[in-house]
Every structure is written in C-alpha cells, then in structure tokens.
C-alpha cells in the first residue's frame, strides 16, 4: 500500500494514499461551537464544505488552545458519492512511503481507546515507525453522528 | 384529465383511446396482465364513446378517472402489482362497455370455420388475448388471372407476419385442411397449389396482432370488408368502425413536441455546485489580476465578459431547478372534481399564474400544504348549494388558485367565495382550548384572530368528515410553510369568502441571510428569521428602543418596550449542545452586562421571539445553502452550511432548533407588536445635501442653530463650529447612511447638536423642514446601517431615522483612534 506520511500533534502518521483527495495549505476554517470537540471547524475548499478535524482531540489529547490559522490539512475522499468531506489538520506533510500490508503491527494493548478508534495499526518503514490512520472509521463516526454518543 | 371537455371532440377522444390501447399493447408485450385487463376495458369504454354508442356522463367520467388512477398505480408498481385489486374496477368498466356494445356484438356475431379449431389454436388465441392482442379473421379470395388483391400471396403473408402472427389458416374453406405449418413458404406454396387447381382460391386466416382494426387493415393492405375482428379476442370493439374513421392513419399519432429531457436532480445539483465554484474562482482570479488591469491591454473587457458569462451560467443552472407551479395547480382540477362529488357540492376551479416558476424542491414540498388549503376551501369554505342560493350566490361555488411574483417572492393564493371564517366561532374555540385568553383576544387585530386557525386542534367545522375537519390540517400547513422559509396569512369576510395567502421564497437553495459575528466567528442567519437588531448602550437606554439587558436568575433577558425576551448566547448554545454546565457564578453574564454596547439579534421562529447576543451584524448576503455534515445534525442549532463569496465556509443558524435545544419558550410573537415604536413621538425632519429626508427625535437634540458655512472651521480631520460658547464637532449624516452626499452650495446650514454627546457633536443639515409628532412604525429591512434605526413613511416621504447615540459613539471612537478618517 502506498502511504502518505505527515506530522501531526508532534508525531508521525501515515494514511493510505488512495483515500487522500489532496493536501491543502492555507486552510481558512471557521470554528463551529456546539460541534464535537474534535471538529476544528469547517472550511470552504473549492466551493465545497470540508470539515477539518483535530487529530490531537481525536486521540483524546487536549488541543493546544486554538490551532493556528490558516493551517495545513489532508483532505480525504468522501466515503460515498455526495458524502461528507473530512480532513485532518496536520503540522506538515511528509512524503509517499511504501507500506507492506503484511507487516502492519497492531497497536499495543495499553493504547488509549480513542487511539484505537482512529489508528488501525503501526508500520515500520526504513526504520521509522508510522501510525496508520483509520480513515473509514473516523469519517463513519462523524457521518453517523455517533461521535455524540461516545 | 379533461375528459369532460373531450365530449364531442372525436380527435381528443381518439387520442385517449389510442393511449389506452398502446398501453395495453405494451403491457401485453411484457405480460403485465393486470394492466392489460384494466387498459383493455378502458379502451372498450373509450371506443364506445368514440362511436357514440355510449354517452359520456358523469358516472362514466368517474369510472374512467378511477381507472386512470389504477393504471398509474399499476405502472408505478410494476413487478409488485399483486397488491392492487382491480377486480371490481374491471367489472364496472365491463358493465359500461357492455351496456353500449351489447347490441352491436349480438348482431355482429361472426361464424368462422375456425370455430371448430383444434386445441392448439384455442390455446394460442387465449394466450394472445391475454397479452392484449386482437384476433382478426381475414378472408381473402385470390384470382389467378386478375390477381385481385395480391398478385403475390407471399407479399401479403409477409406483411401479416411483420405485424402479428398467424394462428391458423384454411385454404379454400376446407376446415379439414387447417394448415399447421404457418410460415410464409408453406402458406404460399399451399395457395399456389390451390390456384394451380382452380382459377380462384380463398385463404382464411386467424391472425393475432396488437394493431387496432383500421391500422391492421392498412398494414396488411387488405380492404376492411375482408377482415373481421373476432369477439373471442379483446374484441368488444365493433368491427364496423372502419368505414367512418378514415382519419385514423392519416395523421401519425400526435406526439407532443415539447423538447424536454428528464434529468436526475443530483446532476443538476452537481452543476450548481460547479457553477458556484466557478464564480468563486472567478472572484479569486479577479483579485489576483486586478493590479494588472491597466497594464495588460484588453484584459478589462475580457474580465468583464467573463464576469457576465459566469453569472449567467450560474443563473441558468439555477433555472434548471425551476418548474412552473402549474405542475401542482393542474392536479387540482381532478381533486376538486372528486371532492365536489364526495361533498355533494358544485365547485368550479379557476387557476391563474400557472407559469410562475419555483424551485423543484419547493414545489414538491408545497403540493401537500396547497392540497390541504384547497380541501379546506372546498369542505369548510364553500357552503352547500341550497345555502348559497338563499344567500343569493351562484349555486356553483368557486375556488381560485392564484400565483404571482412580487418583491422577489412568490405569492400563492387559495380563494373561495364561500362562507368566510366566523371570527367569533374561532375566538370561542380558542378560548375553549385555552389557546388564547380573553384579554389577548380583545387586543387582537382581525388578521391575528384569523391566524388562530393555525393553532393545533382548532377547527370550526362541526363534524369530522372523511376529507377534513380534525383541526390538525392548518397547523401542519403553517409548520410546513415556515419550514420552507415562507409565511402564511388569512383574510376573510363573512359570507363573502376566504383568501389564504402563502408567501414563498423562489428557491430554497439560495436564501437571503444576515451575517453576524459572535466571539469573532461568523454565522449566517436566514433573513426570514430576523425580526430586528437591537443596540443597547449600557447605562444609557435609548429613547428610541427603550431596550435593556437584565439578568434574571440564571439567564439574560432583553427588556424591550415592556416585553421581556430571553437572550441566548453562543456560549450557552455550545455548552448545552455538549451537555456541559455553564460556570454557576454566571460570570459570562456579568461580563456581558458590563459591556458598553451590546447588540441583540431578535429572532423569530414559529411565532416565538428570542434574542441572540451578537458582536456585530456584518452584512446581508445571498447565500447558497448546502446540507449539514452528518455530525452537525444532532446539535440542532444549525440548519445548513454555506460558502460565502470570499470562499469561507460558515454555518447557518436554525432559530427554531436553538429554541428546542435551549428548551426555552420564547415570547409569543403576537405580544411583540412594535408598540414602542408607535408611541407618540416628536420628531424633526431635515434634509442634508442629498434628496433624502432624515428624522431625529426632538428629545435627542439640545439645540438647532443656523450657521453660515464660514463659521465651520477645519481643525485636523474634523470640522468644528462654535455655538453658544461651546465647540461642537460637526459631522455630516450622509457619512453614516447609504445616501447621496454633495457639496453644500447655499450660505445657510444648520447644526443639530446632539443631547447625549460629550464633547458635543452636531449633525450638519442643509434644510430643517418640519417638526411633527405621531407614531412611526419603523421598517428595518429597507436600509441597513449601524447608524440608523430604520425607515418610516410620513406624508408619502421616506424618513431615515438616525441613531444619534451610535453616531456620537463612532465620532468618539474615531477621535480616540486618532486615525485620519476621511468621513469625519
């Protein structure tokens, strides 16, 4: 699997490159009060509404105050045609890496529940450990509004 | 639908007949037996009417319309049609068709040699009949020398096989020689054989075909008198119709020439998105190249063209979602007919303005409310015929549907000339139900009282009928209309009739919104929800609005003209949606109360008012509404999202949702009459350099002084004038409202010194016209500026009511900033 690596919340992550629509710099997003904490805001990207999420919040860590705007974000393809568009705020994009799907390790048992919901596993590529974002799980939780029941 | 209008018009009747027929044929082809059965009987009835053997009357129209409904059901439910019971309908239809055709059929009893046909033939015939085929008996004589009909029997047989199939054939009337080998070759051979023996030969054929009689005859090029339509098939159709109906084939079936295509709505929505994206990109391009507009020759006109084109494309794409309202109106002629029957009333329906175009989604959602209104008019509005006669009205009641456009809104009126609404009965009923109190009722205006009929459970109908009378209808109508961003009003006069007027936006995808800023986040509020914006200056209640923010237990309220309106803050909404508690000490409230200036947006939702604390109202904008992302649907306070002209995305607040989320009641909108603004007031009317008329309350002015222009001195950016020993800073009201500003040329100006300004501020006027007193109802929508209260009409002139405190404040702010601001 081709992966796209990026830095977020001070750590290295990777995501299946096939699920990424684009990486955007200078995302001007509007915060949405009353929305789940993990929602940093909504942005208009090419006339479409994209929800930008904070990975730190998703992982159950507190976001350091307000994210500096404008920020960089990885925008995912919607799961279904016409489905919600979601993106993750990142510190900076890395590069493309090749991940051997057979060598993806599960998360350690001690990992936080929040982390298990959005990280599907870990992979070592050229001596560097990446945590792999589970895009489907994240988008699903938001589309269904389940995030409220948690 | 216009079956009754068809009466006596053979062409139209024939069209109907043909439609039923082709439906039958097609259905037969796909073995949809129920459709075939109904269509067949319907066709028979039509055919009789066409021939004049059956007179079209009300009864028959009824049954015909029912069958059309049934067919529509069946067609819509292809594959799942078991559930549709057609037995009764078919029987009824059969009765009618037989009533007309019995005579005909008995005398047309045809005997053919095939009567004794074998089992195979029988089965084939039944099969064909079930599939909607007709069975024809063709008897042709061939003459070897003259070649009377066909020089070549093969040609005829080929022809027949191209439009149907031959079930059985007999040569020379010898039933024992029934031919089973029915392909062209074999038959031709047989006939050739026969002709070889004698000079003449006859060929008798049983042919099944979906074609009707006349067409069949033409298609196989055999004269009608040699063809008989057998009754075993679907043949209640008399064979004799051939002679008189020459027009049948001359004109090809008139296919309507409206060049339209069907598109999935998602395609159009996608187009709309793209068009909007294009406009955004265009704007970005424009700002990027604006610096080079002059340096690149020919760029400006190209940009100009592009701006026009992109806007036009967006407009056109928007138009694709529009459909004429006649789509809905047309359905009512049928409904009225049925309703009139059920109610035993005579009702005439008139429609106007069917060409008014509305958004597709809006139209779909309007169908039900309008149906309810029309039903109401028919059931409760129109009196029974006897009563109408005693009242001297025409026996036939009239319902009028009228649509028109005004002020960028679509108006739809449902009017009846019936009994009108009994205001007293309505009052009684609402008292009974506790929907209103005695004193409230007495204070209500006529239209307010009529508005009571929208309260749930209120009906003035004495009895519940199959069609209506439960009192829930109007409540639902109102809710639905408001959901669509529209409003509803009723006007009625006893014994004269009732008009219900719906006021709708033209489209749902683009709405006018007010953009507000709260805690430096922008939100959009649909204009239909905005009642007014109130500015409150702490410690200095404005005379004009008499508004104050107060703390009441754990919440803030806006006291406005004697009413107490609950205030909601975005922080409360945020906390409530996340299930958090606000700091119990109410510290955020204290903060708000300490603010010098606060602004409240008074919102209306479902007749309730509440206020939202805002930092600022930014501007109004036409926004394209987009659906909410899934996770936001549960937080209730947003209705949708939108992308603004500058590309940023913001959420659209849902006033009703906020009420629900916060669990607050809101203040009855009825209680929020704008009484405070109608209070007797003394105002001074003046003009500045332009043609506009300004108004200020006398209480706001401490002094009016005529000054010569030479007395006004410039110091830095400001202009000052010395009045009675005080230095008054002079500002021009033109700078605070969207009005004309010109140079003063006269030699006499006026300075209106504002009372509550320290250091003193004066407004510069060109002419002081009048001092009048009276009640002024302010219109907040016409003109928007932070520095005016609104506009009002006096003596047919529009007065702009200035907000002196806001102006004084702004002057002060500017001074503090020490910025070189041109306008002061």
């Amino acid at each position: 699997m081709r992966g796209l690596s990026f830095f977020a919340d001070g750590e290295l992550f990777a995501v299946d490159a096939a699920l990424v629509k684009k990486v955007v710099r200078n995302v001007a997003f509007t915060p949405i009060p009353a929305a789940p904490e993990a929602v940093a805001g909504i942005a208009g990207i090419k006339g479409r509404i994209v929800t930008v999420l904070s990975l730190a919040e998703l992982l159950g860590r507190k976001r350091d105050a307000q994210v500096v705007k404008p920020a960089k974000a990885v925008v995912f393809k919607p799961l279904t045609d016409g489905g919600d568009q979601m993106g993750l705020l990142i510190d900076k994009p890395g590069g493309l890496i090749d991940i051997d799907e057979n060598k993806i390790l599960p998360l350690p048992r001690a990992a936080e529940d929040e982390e298990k919901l959005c990280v599907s596993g870990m992979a070592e590529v050229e001596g560097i450990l990446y945590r792999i974002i589970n895009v489907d799980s994240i988008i699903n939780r938001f589309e269904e509004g389940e995030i409220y029941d948690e | 639908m216009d079956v009754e209008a068809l009466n006596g018009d053979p062409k139209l009747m024939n069209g109907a007949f043909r439609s039923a027929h082709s439906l039958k044929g097609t259905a037969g082809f796909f073995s949809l037996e129920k459709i075939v059965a109904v269509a067949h009987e319907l066709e028979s009835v039509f055919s009789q009417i066409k021939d004049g053997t059956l007179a079209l009357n009300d009864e028959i129209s009824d049954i015909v319309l029912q069958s059309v409904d049934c067919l529509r059901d069946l067609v819509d439910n292809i594959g799942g049609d078991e559930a549709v019971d057609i037995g009764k309908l078919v029987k009824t239809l059969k009765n009618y068709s037989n009533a007309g055709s019995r005579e005909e059929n008995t005398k047309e009893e045809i005997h053919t040699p095939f009567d004794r046909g074998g089992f195979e033939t029988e089965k084939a015939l039944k099969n064909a009949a079930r599939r909607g085929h007709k069975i024809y008996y063709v008897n042709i004589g061939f003459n070897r020398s003259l070649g009377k009909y066909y020089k070549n029997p093969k040609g005829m047989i080929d022809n027949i096989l191209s439009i149907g199939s031959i079930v059985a054939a007999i040569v020379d009337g010898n039933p024992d020689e029934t031919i089973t080998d029915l392909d062209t070759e074999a038959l031709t051979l047989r006939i050739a054989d026969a002709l070889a023996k004698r000079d003449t030969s006859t060929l008798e054929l049983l042919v099944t075909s979906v074609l009707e009689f006349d067409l069949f005859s033409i298609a196989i090029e055999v004269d009608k008198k040699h063809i008989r339509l057998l009754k075993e098939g679907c043949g209640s159709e008399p064979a004799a119709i051939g002679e008189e109906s020459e027009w049948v084939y001359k004109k090809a079936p008139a296919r309507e020439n409206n060049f339209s295509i069907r598109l999935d709505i998602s395609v159009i929505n996608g187009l709309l998105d793209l068009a909007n994206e294009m406009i955004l990109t265009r704007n970005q391009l424009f700002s990027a190249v604006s610096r080079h507009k002059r340096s690149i020759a020919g760029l400006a006109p190209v940009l100009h063209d592009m701006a026009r084109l992109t806007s036009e494309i967006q407009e056109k794409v928007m138009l694709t979602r529009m459909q004429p309202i006649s789509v809905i109106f047309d359905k009512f002629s049928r409904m009225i007919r049925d309703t009139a029957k059920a109610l035993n009333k005579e009702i005439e329906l008139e429609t106007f303005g069917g060409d008014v175009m509305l958004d597709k989604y809006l139209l779909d959602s309007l169908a039900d409310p309008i149906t309810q209104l029309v039903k109401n008019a028919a059931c409760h509005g129109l009196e029974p015929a006897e009563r109408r006669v005693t009242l001297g009205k025409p026996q036939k009641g009239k319902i009028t549907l009228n649509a028109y456009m005004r002020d960028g809104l679509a108006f739809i009126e449902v009017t009846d000339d019936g009994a009108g609404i009994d205001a007293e009965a309505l009052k009684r009923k609402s008292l009974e139900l506790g929907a209103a109190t005695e004193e409230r009722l007495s204070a209500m205006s006529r239209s307010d009282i009529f508005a009571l009929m929208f309260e749930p459970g209120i009906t003035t109908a004495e009895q519940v009928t199959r069609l209506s009378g439960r009192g829930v209808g109007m409540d639902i109508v109102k809710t639905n209309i408001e959901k669509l961003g529209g409003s509803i009003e009723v006007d009625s006069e006893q014994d004269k009739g009732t008009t219900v007027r719906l006021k709708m936006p033209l489209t749902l995808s683009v709405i006018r919104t007010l953009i507000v800023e709260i805690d430096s986040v922008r939100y959009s509020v649909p204009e239909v929800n905005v009642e007014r914006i109130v500015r409150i200056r702490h410690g200095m209640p404005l005379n004009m609005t008499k508004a104050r923010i107060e703390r009441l237990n754990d919440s803030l309220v806006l006291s406005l003209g004697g009413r107490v309106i609950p205030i909601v803050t975005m922080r409360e909404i945020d906390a409530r949606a996340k299930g958090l508690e606000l700091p119990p000490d109410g510290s955020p409230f204290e903060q708000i109360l300490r603010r010098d200036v606060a602004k409240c947006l008074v919102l209306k939702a479902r007749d309730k008012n509440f206020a939202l604390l805002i930092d600022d109202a930014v501007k109004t904008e036409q926004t394209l509404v987009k659906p909410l992302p899934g996770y936001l649907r549960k937080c209730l306070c947003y209705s949708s999202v939108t992308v603004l002209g500058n590309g940023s995305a913001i959420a659209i607040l849902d006033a009703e949702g906020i009420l629900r989320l916060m669990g607050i009641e809101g203040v009855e909108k009825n209680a929020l009459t704008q009484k405070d603004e109608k209070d007797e007031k003394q105002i001074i009317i003046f003009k500045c350099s332009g043609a506009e008329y300004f108004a200020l309350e006398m209480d706001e002015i401490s002094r009016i002084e005529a000054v010569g222009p030479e007395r006004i001195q410039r110091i830095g950016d400001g202009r000052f004038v010395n009045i009675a020993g005080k230095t008054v800073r002079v500002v021009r009201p033109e700078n605070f409202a969207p009005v004309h500003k010109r140079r003063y040329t006269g030699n006499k100006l006026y300075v209106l010194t504002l009372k509550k300004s320290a250091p003193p501020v004066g407004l510069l006027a060109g002419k002081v016209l009048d001092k009048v007193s009276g009640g002024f109802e302010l219109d907040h929508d016409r003109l928007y500026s932070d520095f005016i209260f609104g506009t009002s009409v006096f003596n047919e002139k529009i007065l702009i009511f200035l907000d002196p405190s806001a102006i004084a404040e702004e002057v002060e702010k500017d001074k503090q900033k020490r910025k070189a601001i041109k306008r002061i």
Side-chain angles (χ1 to χ4, degrees):
Chain A
M1 149 177 121
R2 293 280 273 176
L4 176 74
S5 68
F6 58 87
F7 280 97
D9 200 30
E11 289 176 50
L12 257 177
F13 292 90
V15 54
D16 184 351
L19 302 175
V20 174
K21 192 169 177 193
K22 56 186 153 194
V23 178
V24 238
R25 286 154 223 271
N26 290 333
V27 190
F29 57 88
T30 314
I32 303 289
E37 289 292 346
V39 175
I42 54 172
I45 296 176
K46 297 253 169 181
R48 302 226 163 84
I49 303 280
V50 177
T51 302
V52 276
L53 306 171
S54 148
L55 192 57
E57 287 281 355
L58 281 175
L59 293 173
R61 306 166 195 167
K62 265 276 154 265
R63 205 184 328 165
D64 3 308
Q66 284 284 309
V67 185
V68 204
K69 299 193 281 184
K72 301 183 184 78
V74 181
V75 178
F76 304 121
K77 291 174 185 162
L79 292 189
T80 52
D81 234 14
D84 294 344
Q85 287 212 36
M86 303 265 171
L88 272 187
L89 284 180
I90 58 172
D91 298 337
K92 79 172 195 211
L96 285 172
I97 49 172
D98 280 310
I99 300 169
D100 187 346
E101 273 164 274
N102 302 320
K103 288 188 181 157
I104 295 179
L105 311 164
L107 280 181
R109 277 245 209 90
E112 301 284 338
D113 286 345
E114 284 94 346
E115 184 164 357
K116 285 180 191 156
L117 278 170
C118 38
V119 177
S120 54
M122 296 184 295
E124 200 186 300
V125 179
E126 289 166 16
I128 303 169
L129 196 65
Y130 296 92
R131 277 190 280 174
I132 299 163
I133 299 286
N134 188 344
V135 176
D136 285 15
S137 149
I138 293 176
I139 300 184
N140 264 327
R141 267 159 71 211
F142 278 88
E143 259 187 352
E144 308 292 324
E146 270 170 40
I147 195 85
Y148 275 100
D149 309 329
E150 285 163 14
Chain B
M1 155 57 209
D2 280 347
V3 174
E4 272 146 349
L6 291 179
N7 214 354
D9 187 342
K11 271 184 202 155
L12 284 178
M13 196 63 232
N14 202 57
F17 172 71
R18 207 177 352 240
S19 307
H21 180 78
S22 58
L23 177 64
K24 180 174 88 174
T26 318
F29 182 74
F30 291 108
S31 307
L32 298 165
E33 291 171 26
K34 282 192 173 177
I35 298 184
V36 173
V38 176
H40 167 64
E41 295 302 338
L42 191 59
E43 183 192 3
S44 313
V45 171
F46 278 157
S47 114
Q48 311 243 327
I49 298 169
K50 198 170 77 165
D51 295 351
T53 49
L54 191 65
L56 182 61
N57 58 25
D58 260 12
E59 258 172 30
I60 293 180
S61 310
D62 267 356
I63 195 79
V64 165
L65 288 172
Q66 274 181 37
S67 332
V68 173
D69 278 359
C70 174
L71 281 176
R72 196 169 293 142
D73 278 357
L74 286 167
V75 171
D76 287 346
N77 272 317
I78 279 176
D81 64 356
E82 294 84 359
V84 186
D85 181 17
I86 57 159
K88 210 170 144 199
L89 188 63
V90 169
K91 214 163 140 194
T92 326
L93 276 171
K94 223 170 214 148
N95 281 345
Y96 285 114
S97 60
N98 288 347
S101 63
R102 199 166 297 130
E103 248 178 277
E104 202 103 16
N105 274 349
T106 40
K107 81 178 178 210
E108 278 283 333
E109 199 76 35
I110 306 161
H111 294 280
T112 68
F114 297 108
D115 286 353
R116 285 168 287 142
F119 177 67
E120 278 301 315
T121 318
E122 199 99 346
K123 199 170 142 196
L125 285 179
K126 265 194 192 138
N127 228 341
R130 221 177 46 222
R131 293 198 338 253
H133 284 230
K134 284 182 171 48
I135 294 147
Y136 294 98
Y137 165 65
V138 184
N139 182 346
I140 311 160
F142 290 96
N143 186 313
R144 185 169 48 168
S145 49
L146 294 172
K148 196 174 172 189
Y149 299 109
Y150 271 89
K151 285 172 190 120
N152 174 6
K154 181 175 178 294
M156 184 195 75
I157 293 160
D158 274 341
N159 265 347
I160 292 175
L161 288 175
S162 71
I163 54 150
S165 52
I166 298 171
V167 179
I170 301 173
V171 176
D172 287 339
N174 185 354
D176 300 330
E177 287 196 40
T178 303
I179 302 158
T180 43
D181 196 3
L182 294 172
D183 63 31
T184 320
E185 292 279 316
L187 277 174
T188 319
L189 263 168
R190 287 297 297 264
I191 291 163
D193 274 357
L195 285 177
K197 288 178 212 154
R198 284 184 303 272
D199 274 358
T200 57
S201 164
T202 56
L203 173 66
E204 291 167 87
L205 295 171
L206 266 189
V207 181
T208 70
S209 165
V210 287
L211 289 186
E212 55 185 283
F213 188 82
D214 314 80
L215 294 181
F216 180 72
S217 155
I218 293 165
I220 64 169
E221 294 173 39
V222 172
D223 196 276
K224 283 166 193 150
K225 65 185 174 213
H226 298 284
I227 307 172
R228 283 286 172 274
L229 180 61
L230 295 188
K231 114 179 189 245
E232 293 100 298
C234 297
S236 47
E237 211 176 356
I241 58 171
E243 270 71 40
E244 68 201 61
S245 34
E246 276 169 43
W247 38 266
V248 169
Y249 206 57
K250 278 183 191 156
K251 270 188 223 153
R255 183 156 294 203
E256 268 191 40
N257 270 342
N258 54 354
F259 298 101
S260 61
I261 50 169
R262 291 173 78 112
L263 271 182
D264 196 285
I265 195 86
S266 68
V267 175
I268 290 174
N269 289 344
L271 261 180
L272 196 60
D273 275 348
L274 286 173
N276 290 306
E277 200 177 316
M278 186 168 70
I279 296 229
L280 288 177
T281 319
R282 178 197 75 188
N283 294 345
Q284 283 164 12
L285 175 73
F286 280 18
S287 69
V289 299
S290 62
R291 279 182 292 129
H292 309 293
K293 239 182 186 170
R294 293 235 174 94
S295 52
I296 303 173
L299 182 63
V302 172
L303 289 181
H304 184 263
D305 276 354
M306 200 174 141
R308 182 180 54 82
L309 286 172
T310 42
S311 304
E312 263 174 36
I313 287 181
Q314 189 198 28
E315 225 166 83
K316 282 265 147 52
V317 175
M318 223 76 117
L319 269 183
T320 55
R321 284 177 58 95
M322 305 295 246
Q323 283 192 308
I325 197 161
S326 56
V327 175
I328 301 184
F329 280 4
D330 289 351
K331 286 180 188 148
F332 287 117
S333 48
R334 167 74 198 280
M335 196 198 90
I336 283 292
R337 217 183 154 280
D338 292 351
T339 315
K341 271 251 143 57
L343 293 167
N344 220 353
K345 287 180 186 173
E346 284 181 49
I347 305 175
E348 182 189 343
L349 180 79
E350 260 190 332
T351 58
F352 299 99
D355 52 349
V356 167
M357 302 292 270
L358 283 179
D359 190 88
K360 161 100 176 107
Y361 176 73
L362 198 61
L363 272 183
D364 289 349
S365 329
L366 269 178
D368 280 348
I370 298 182
T371 308
Q372 179 70 35
L373 292 177
V374 172
K375 259 187 197 162
N376 268 10
C379 301
H380 311 308
L382 298 176
E383 319 88 327
E386 314 86 66
R387 173 139 177 82
R388 291 185 64 90
V389 173
T390 45
L391 282 169
K393 292 189 195 176
Q395 193 172 338
K396 206 168 197 175
K398 189 171 179 182
I399 294 176
T400 314
L401 291 172
N402 188 15
Y404 54 93
M405 312 244 265
R406 198 198 290 154
D407 298 339
L409 292 169
F411 289 78
I412 301 148
E413 291 176 345
V414 180
T415 307
D416 64 66
D417 66 344
I421 299 166
D422 185 350
E424 291 310 312
L426 204 57
K427 279 187 190 174
R428 256 198 327 274
K429 209 78 180 191
S430 36
L431 277 179
E432 270 171 42
L433 286 158
T437 56
E438 197 81 60
E439 62 227 73
R440 252 192 69 201
L441 283 178
S442 57
M444 275 182 177
S445 70
R446 226 178 132 68
S447 61
D448 287 342
I449 289 169
F450 289 136
L452 283 174
M453 67 190 270
F454 297 115
E455 295 288 327
I458 290 190
T459 173
T460 51
E462 299 304 321
Q463 69 202 49
V464 174
T465 66
R466 179 170 71 94
L467 290 159
S468 58
R470 284 176 204 83
V472 283
M474 291 308 258
D475 171 38
I476 294 171
V477 167
K478 182 164 200 205
T479 317
N480 285 340
I481 294 296
E482 285 179 351
K483 249 188 217 155
L484 297 171
S487 61
I488 188 165
E489 43 184 71
V490 188
D491 197 14
S492 178
E493 205 172 324
Q494 193 90 49
D495 289 332
K496 288 273 166 57
T498 308
T499 298
V500 182
R501 191 172 300 116
L502 307 180
K503 215 179 181 182
M504 303 305 297
L506 293 182
T507 163
L508 277 185
S509 47
V510 177
I511 58 170
R512 286 200 67 83
T513 61
L514 176 72
I515 297 178
V516 298
E517 204 170 280
I518 307 171
D519 298 333
S520 50
V521 177
R522 287 188 176 188
Y523 304 88
S524 162
V525 185
E527 265 194 357
V528 287
N529 292 119
V530 176
E531 181 97 23
R532 58 192 290 192
I533 303 167
V534 185
R535 249 171 127 265
I536 303 111
R537 249 192 121 186
H538 186 61
M540 192 189 275
L542 298 174
N543 283 332
M544 211 64 182
T545 50
K546 296 189 186 87
R548 234 177 12 258
I549 295 183
E550 280 161 33
R551 197 170 156 194
L552 196 74
N553 299 329
D554 276 343
S555 56
L556 289 178
V557 291
L558 174 69
S559 137
L560 182 70
R563 295 175 320 272
V564 177
I565 304 167
I567 295 181
V568 189
T569 62
M570 210 58 215
R571 290 177 72 153
E572 288 174 279
I573 293 175
D574 182 34
R576 178 63 65 97
K578 290 173 181 157
L580 304 171
E581 288 290 319
L582 271 182
D585 59 349
S587 54
F589 296 153
E590 291 303 325
Q591 229 177 331
I592 292 159
L593 287 170
R594 274 200 302 274
R595 274 189 208 174
D596 270 353
V597 181
K599 283 182 189 170
C600 278
L601 189 64
V602 181
L603 295 171
K604 55 183 172 196
R606 303 204 67 192
D607 281 351
K608 299 284 177 43
N609 278 118
F610 69 100
L612 180 70
L613 197 74
I614 58 171
D615 294 346
D616 225 337
V618 184
K619 59 179 169 181
T620 58
E621 191 168 310
Q622 294 266 15
T623 43
L624 181 87
V625 175
K626 298 187 170 229
L628 274 186
Y631 62 92
L632 277 181
R633 271 171 220 141
K634 282 193 182 170
C635 50
L636 293 172
C637 51
Y638 306 111
S639 62
S640 39
V641 286
T642 183
V643 180
L644 295 181
N646 65 7
S648 66
I650 63 174
I652 302 178
L653 291 173
D654 179 355
E656 200 192 326
I658 293 177
L659 271 183
R660 261 191 301 162
L661 174 73
M662 301 307 290
I664 50 172
E665 267 297 304
V667 187
E668 284 288 329
K669 197 184 150 209
N670 290 344
L672 189 69
T673 49
Q674 308 208 328
K675 237 187 212 163
D676 57 322
E677 285 168 9
K678 285 186 194 162
D679 282 351
E680 215 38 28
K681 263 186 281 211
Q682 226 184 14
I683 59 159
I684 187 133
I685 302 172
F686 60 97
K687 267 178 131 175
C688 293
S689 56
E692 294 87 359
Y693 295 88
F694 291 89
L696 261 183
E697 219 176 318
M698 275 307 279
D699 294 354
E700 304 276 0
I701 305 166
S702 61
R703 191 184 178 111
I704 300 176
E705 178 99 6
V707 295
E710 75 285 349
R711 278 180 62 188
I712 300 171
Q713 298 174 30
R714 276 186 87 136
I715 302 173
D717 300 317
R719 290 183 171 84
F720 296 87
V721 64
N722 199 329
I723 294 172
K726 272 187 192 160
T727 305
V728 177
R729 179 160 189 172
V730 183
V731 294
R732 297 183 64 176
E734 295 98 310
N735 295 328
F736 297 97
V739 295
H740 287 287
K741 185 185 174 186
R742 298 197 186 98
R743 265 185 109 80
Y744 282 114
T745 49
N747 52 9
K748 204 170 165 196
L749 297 171
Y750 295 87
V751 174
L752 290 72
T753 314
L754 301 179
K755 228 180 211 169
K756 289 170 208 140
S757 54
V761 172
L763 299 180
L764 193 65
K767 218 179 205 175
V768 174
L769 296 164
D770 209 351
K771 189 169 88 179
V772 292
S773 46
F776 298 94
E777 196 168 339
L778 290 188
D779 181 346
H780 303 281
D781 303 329
R782 290 285 155 251
L783 214 53
Y784 180 75
S785 155
D786 270 348
F787 307 102
I788 62 172
F789 287 124
T791 56
S792 187
V793 178
F794 175 76
N795 274 355
E796 298 185 358
K797 296 199 170 65
I798 299 166
L799 304 181
I800 301 169
F801 279 73
L802 292 168
D803 179 347
S805 327
I807 293 175
E809 205 179 286
E810 182 73 14
V811 172
E812 185 65 18
K813 224 196 273 172
D814 271 334
K815 201 176 78 187
Q816 281 167 0
K817 281 186 199 157
R818 295 189 181 282
K819 269 188 183 168
I821 290 175
K822 263 187 246 156
R823 61 186 188 190
I824 292 167

